[in-house]
Amino acid sequence: MKIDMSNLKFGAVEKPEKIGNEYFAVVPYFFTLKCNVSSMNDDMKKKIGAAVIQKYGKNNVQYLAAEGAYLINARMRACAISPDRKTWKFVILEKEYKSQLVKVLPKKILDKI
């Protein structure tokens, strides 16, 4: 499967909040994915389609039959983390990663996932 990513955009960044010794801000971001599944059999195409619809929502997934590709409008969030509000690191906020994020994010941020 070939995947192309385009149109990366960032939404309004939350005001950084100091928790402990670090600052945290949630950042929404958006991009378009084009997943070419033309080389897959029909069963796999349907499984991929069901998976992306479950992940991104029916209204954000379109199948382009002529190209054999799914076009996905992905809306996601990340958490920006900084010790000094000058240098920032980003962590992707996904429900399926929450058990791992517990190790690096405070509860107040985890509650936003």
Side-chain angles (χ1 to χ4, degrees):
M1 172 170 47
K2 180 181 175 188
I3 300 174
D4 291 316
M5 182 178 155
S6 60
N7 302 323
L8 177 64
K9 296 177 184 167
F10 293 91
V13 179
E14 285 184 358
K15 181 180 176 184
E17 181 176 358
K18 188 168 186 179
I19 303 172
N21 294 328
E22 295 181 299
Y23 292 91
F24 297 86
V26 175
V27 182
Y29 63 102
F30 316 91
F31 56 92
T32 303
L33 287 174
K34 190 173 191 180
C35 301
N36 188 321
V37 294
S38 61
S39 64
M40 296 181 175
N41 64 41
D42 288 342
D43 187 48
M44 278 304 291
K45 287 178 187 177
K46 288 178 185 175
K47 287 180 181 178
I48 296 291
V52 296
I53 287 170
Q54 181 180 359
K55 171 87 174 145
Y56 299 104
K58 187 176 182 176
N59 294 334
N60 293 313
V61 177
Q62 178 184 4
Y63 183 67
L64 307 174
E67 298 180 42
Y70 286 98
L71 189 64
I72 303 159
N73 292 316
R75 300 170 188 268
M76 301 179 76
R77 293 185 304 159
C79 182
I81 306 166
S82 174
D84 58 9
R85 297 179 71 162
K86 294 178 185 175
T87 58
W88 294 87
K89 294 180 183 181
F90 293 86
V91 176
I92 295 173
L93 298 179
E94 295 276 337
K95 286 181 183 178
E96 56 265 25
Y97 302 139
K98 195 169 184 176
S99 64
Q100 296 164 335
L101 294 173
V102 169
K103 300 171 189 172
V104 294
L105 295 175
K107 183 180 181 326
K108 191 169 186 177
I109 300 299
L110 290 168
D111 289 345
K112 295 180 182 185
I113 297 177

